[in-house]
Amino acid sequence: MGWRGSKIVRFGLAAAVASIAVPGVAIAAPGRTSAPAPDQRRIEDTMKRATRFMVEKASTNGGYVWSYLPDMSRRWGEMEAYPTMIWIQPPGTATMGHLFLDAYHATGDNYYYQAAEKTANALIAVQQDNGGWHYFGDFGGEASTRRWYDTIGKNAWRLEEFQHYWGNATFDDAGTSESMQFLLRLYVEKHDPKYLPALKKALNFVLESQYPIGGWPQRYPLKSEFSHHGKPDYTSFITFNDDVAGENINFLIMAYQALGGDARVRDAIVRAMNVFLVTQQGQPQPGWGLQYTLDLKPVGARTYEPTALVTHTTATNIRQLMRFYRLTGDTKFLARIPEALDWLESVKLPADQVKNGRAYPTFVEIGTNKPLYVHRRGSNVVNGEYYVDYDPANTITHYGSTRAIDVPALRREYETLKASNPAEISKDSPLRPGAAQPLPRYFLADISGTSDLNLAEGERSPQAVVRSLNAQGWWPTELRATSHPYAGDGSATPAPGDYSRAHVGDATDTSPYTTDKPVIGISTGTYIENMKVLIAALHR
């Protein structure tokens, strides 16, 4: 539900990555002759030096945040973190664990497996007794976490999910899902029994927290203590936002493959797929919302997420239904897709309102099909507020008011699936009775041979990546995401200035924002992206 960056796609998960750039590395000119790729020895040496720095210098008890100043005086996950914290949201601790296993498979070097074990130990140490994870873990203990919430978290104006400490686990932003997937993958690697208790606890968490209808709440165990600006606590609602249901299905399918076809797991998968069907609205608005009440009515969440139908969620759920058809061969998952596609087309904005290809309003009013637009006034969490109307001018910028959706591509994919043989299309499904499929060896790195890694000067070419690692063992990165240090609670009187379209409010707002004066620092996202390039280069 948080501040998501660009996306990297891997098996079962689209993970947020930080804004990354390697200073001093230029893009190759078109038609330029490729430079020779570094030899294997140089690539492996670069990988090892970079990994040693992350494991031995940057990590906290085997865990990671998203970025660090070079002197480690400040560090951030989605928000500023204490030195005792590790971040669970991608690209955080579990993402690093996946990367280490990829590197282990690419090189055979046991150092990477040991690094993955350290990461797993960190995740297990901050795993909650219920089996799930929070956005972050804090080795400083409960008092440290509460102090963070009473200061930094409390004053993050636009990140309402951090303004209150529920003390439970969250499915938001794929942190719990990615952690579960990584622990499963590590266990399957050598079947080391020491990882089985945490893995079983995580699996039970997913099964126990699922509603009978098939969906999941945003947080669990259920609580309803944070009524905010007159809106109910949204964390118990059935949640599609940030693909909560899709991510849990991904993990359950992996567990079904790897742990022996547990009937409980299969039942949970089937119910989870069916919740996409029962939450699709009827005519004349057959789309989906971000969340649902337990009587299956769309409902808002944060104060800038009104009760509405949501176009990008509708597109995501259409893609999921097509995926479920491939998994099952059951045409019920295709039956109402044309209605949803037609509805998306019906709410498309007039051409004169389309900017940068974003032709669909994010929020659509239930009953009228009118676009809803979100605005804010004030300067901080104390005096500020969000409000919704029909005016497309002066909307907030930290949450897009319009979306780019390729409806024709979705329709073409639907038509292809409609014409397919259900038995044929699902014959290799991991849900097929008796199917036994190993988990992929690589989750992050692209070793398919489809990536162009031979640009002479491209910032993601192997030679550029090797060359740009500094003497300390990290890749210098412009840290474009930053935040105001905690400076006390906000004033009830708005500060001078217009914050209506800014990512951050006045000096007391601790929300992250993009700065036009980035400093050079250490980025977990840069490390991951560069290591992916080098791992892929070893397979060329």
Side-chain angles (χ1 to χ4, degrees):
M1 209 170 233
W3 192 47
R4 308 299 292 273
S6 57
K7 304 235 173 163
I8 51 176
V9 177
R10 65 182 182 276
F11 177 82
L13 184 62
V17 286
S19 175
I20 51 180
V22 180
V25 180
I27 300 295
R32 187 164 184 172
T33 303
S34 295
D39 62 29
Q40 179 172 332
R41 189 173 190 177
R42 193 175 176 204
I43 289 173
E44 291 190 2
D45 176 67
T46 302
M47 291 171 59
K48 191 71 162 287
R49 288 198 299 120
T51 302
R52 282 194 184 280
F53 177 85
M54 295 302 291
V55 172
E56 298 167 22
K57 302 292 185 183
S59 77
T60 298
N61 296 339
Y64 302 85
V65 294
W66 291 2
S67 59
Y68 311 76
L69 292 184
D71 64 0
M72 301 290 177
S73 60
R74 294 185 75 191
R75 63 190 66 203
W76 295 266
E78 182 162 24
M79 292 185 61
E80 183 160 9
Y82 288 165
T84 54
M85 287 179 174
I86 63 173
W87 221 257
I88 308 302
Q89 288 167 284
T93 298
T95 322
M96 290 290 280
H98 279 306
L99 189 282
F100 294 145
L101 285 180
D102 282 8
Y104 174 61
H105 290 157
T107 65
D109 188 335
N110 200 54
Y111 182 83
Y112 296 108
Y113 183 80
Q114 293 171 349
E117 288 196 302
K118 291 176 181 177
T119 299
N121 292 340
L123 287 171
I124 292 170
V126 300
Q127 184 182 22
Q128 296 187 2
D129 291 341
N130 55 52
W133 283 266
H134 183 46
Y135 294 110
F136 59 80
D138 190 349
F139 288 101
E142 182 78 2
S144 176
T145 298
R146 288 189 177 277
R147 183 168 63 253
W148 186 92
Y149 269 96
D150 288 341
T151 55
I152 295 173
K154 175 183 175 182
N155 285 282
W157 183 13
R158 67 179 180 81
L159 290 183
E160 295 171 11
E161 61 269 42
F162 290 105
Q163 292 173 11
H164 176 76
Y165 180 49
W166 284 272
N168 54 7
T170 182
F171 287 116
D172 189 32
D173 281 358
T176 287
S177 176
E178 187 179 46
S179 298
M180 296 186 295
Q181 291 180 30
F182 166 62
L183 287 181
L184 175 61
R185 188 180 175 207
L186 184 64
Y187 170 71
V188 168
E189 185 70 33
K190 295 184 178 181
H191 286 90
D192 190 327
K194 67 186 177 187
Y195 299 116
L196 204 50
L199 180 58
K200 287 183 175 180
K201 191 162 67 169
L203 177 59
N204 286 335
F205 175 73
V206 179
L207 297 176
E208 180 182 308
S209 59
Q210 187 181 30
Y211 285 117
I213 196 69
W216 282 272
Q218 200 247 23
R219 302 190 68 97
Y220 191 81
L222 301 177
K223 295 192 176 184
S224 57
E225 61 195 40
F226 188 50
S227 177
H228 194 54
H229 284 267
K231 301 184 72 171
D233 190 318
Y234 60 84
T235 57
S236 64
F237 296 149
I238 296 171
T239 302
F240 288 114
N241 193 14
D242 283 327
D243 206 20
V244 162
E247 291 293 351
N248 284 342
I249 291 170
N250 290 337
F251 168 70
L252 290 172
I253 289 175
M254 288 174 59
Y256 189 73
Q257 288 178 250
L259 301 179
D262 188 325
R264 295 180 309 150
V265 173
R266 183 179 177 84
D267 172 69
I269 294 169
V270 171
R271 286 188 290 117
M273 292 191 293
N274 286 337
V275 82
F276 286 74
L277 299 176
V278 299
T279 52
Q280 183 179 6
Q281 299 299 282
Q283 290 287 8
Q285 291 183 294
W288 284 266
L290 290 172
Q291 293 84 211
Y292 287 80
T293 57
L294 296 188
D295 57 355
L296 304 184
K297 290 182 171 58
V299 64
R302 294 174 293 188
T303 57
Y304 46 84
E305 293 166 327
T307 295
L309 297 182
V310 182
T311 55
H312 65 279
T313 300
T314 295
T316 296
N317 287 3
I318 289 170
R319 293 186 191 97
Q320 288 286 13
L321 290 176
M322 291 192 285
R323 177 186 174 220
F324 300 158
Y325 171 67
R326 293 188 184 93
L327 285 167
T328 65
D330 193 331
T331 57
K332 71 182 181 182
F333 294 113
L334 300 181
R336 295 190 63 204
I337 287 177
E339 295 176 50
L341 293 171
D342 291 345
W343 176 75
L344 284 174
E345 288 287 19
S346 76
V347 300
K348 189 174 183 179
L349 295 169
D352 62 351
Q353 294 183 29
V354 176
K355 296 179 181 179
N356 302 317
R358 300 169 73 90
Y360 298 86
T362 296
F363 299 112
V364 178
E365 188 173 47
I366 296 172
T368 70
N369 255 7
K370 291 181 180 179
L372 294 174
Y373 295 99
V374 184
H375 315 269
R376 74 178 185 180
R377 53 192 161 223
S379 70
N380 61 49
V381 72
V382 176
N383 62 60
E385 67 173 340
Y386 290 88
Y387 62 98
V388 177
D389 60 23
Y390 303 118
D391 185 358
N394 207 42
T395 56
I396 60 173
T397 57
H398 65 79
Y399 198 112
S401 61
T402 56
R403 303 286 164 157
I405 301 171
D406 193 344
V407 173
L410 290 173
R411 200 178 292 277
R412 288 193 298 271
E413 185 177 356
Y414 162 76
E415 293 294 344
T416 298
L417 293 177
K418 181 183 176 184
S420 68
N421 182 317
E424 179 64 22
I425 205 163
S426 62
K427 65 182 177 62
D428 295 322
S429 169
L431 298 182
R432 182 172 52 86
Q437 299 179 10
L439 300 181
R441 285 179 60 78
Y442 294 91
F443 272 50
L444 302 183
D446 176 12
I447 61 167
S448 64
T450 59
S451 297
D452 181 4
L453 299 175
N454 295 314
L455 292 176
E457 299 293 339
E459 69 175 35
R460 286 291 172 260
S461 69
Q463 54 269 35
V465 168
V466 167
R467 187 172 62 244
S468 59
L469 187 71
N470 69 16
Q472 290 75 43
W474 49 275
W475 280 288
T477 302
E478 290 184 340
L479 302 183
R480 299 185 182 278
T482 189
S483 64
H484 294 142
Y486 172 67
D489 292 346
S491 168
T493 302
D498 181 5
Y499 299 96
S500 61
R501 290 180 56 79
H503 272 209
V504 69
D506 62 38
T508 65
D509 183 3
T510 55
S511 302
Y513 65 95
T514 301
T515 178
D516 56 2
K517 297 179 181 179
V519 299
I520 301 300
I522 301 154
S523 166
T524 301
T526 295
Y527 168 82
I528 291 167
E529 290 298 298
N530 286 346
M531 286 288 287
K532 286 165 56 181
V533 169
L534 298 181
I535 290 169
L538 293 178
H539 287 264
R540 297 303 187 268

